[in-house]
């Protein structure tokens, strides 16, 4: 990721870009918004980019609340139907990393 507004962002799996986008807003340490163009399969590759916004806010001593909003799909798309389950898994993996300090590695699936 290029951590500046207009910078490139990529989510990689096994060295392949599964999601590409651009940083739309960056307000450390509170907010990150970026475009989201799915590339994990031919089914989603033609969908228009959508928007993902991550917001962090204090939630008591030693705790932080994460709110993730994925919107601006431009209608009912294959991407819009697929991401709800994917975000649940991604946030669960992030929680594991924060709590244990260990990443949850996934094997690469080229062409997935």
């Amino acid at each position: 990721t290029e951590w500046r507004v207009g910078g490139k962002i990529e989510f990689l799996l096994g060295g392949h870009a599964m999601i590409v986008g651009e940083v739309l807003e960056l307000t450390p340490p509170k907010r990150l918004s970026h475009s989201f163009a799915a590339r994990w399969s031919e089914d989603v590759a033609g969908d228009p980019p959508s928007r993902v916004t991550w917001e962090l806010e204090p939630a008591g001593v030693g705790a932080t609340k994460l709110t993730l909003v994925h919107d601006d799909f431009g209608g009912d798309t294959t991407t819009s139907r697929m991401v709800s389950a994917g975000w649940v898994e991604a946030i669960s993996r992030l929680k594991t990393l924060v709590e244990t300090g260990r990443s949850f590695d996934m094997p690469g699936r080229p062409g997935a």
Side-chain angles (χ1 to χ4, degrees), residues 8-70:
K8 177 176 72 169
I9 189 167
E10 292 182 315
F11 291 72
L12 302 172
L13 181 62
H16 299 277
M18 297 291 139
I19 301 159
V20 297
E22 174 183 312
V23 176
L24 303 172
E25 180 183 344
L26 183 59
T27 310
K30 298 177 182 180
R31 184 177 170 97
L32 167 65
S33 183
H34 60 86
S35 59
F36 180 105
R39 298 291 182 258
W40 59 75
S41 72
E42 290 182 18
D43 294 343
V44 295
D47 288 348
S50 52
R51 177 181 54 218
V52 176
T53 302
W54 307 75
E55 293 184 330
L56 298 172
E57 60 185 287
V61 177
T64 301
K65 177 183 177 186
L66 167 64
T67 302
L68 183 138
V69 176
H70 193 160

Side-chain angles (χ1 to χ4, degrees), residues 13-14 89 93 104-109:
L13 181 62
E89 181 179 338
R93 291 175 187 275
F104 190 108
D105 294 328
M106 293 176 60
R109 296 178 294 164

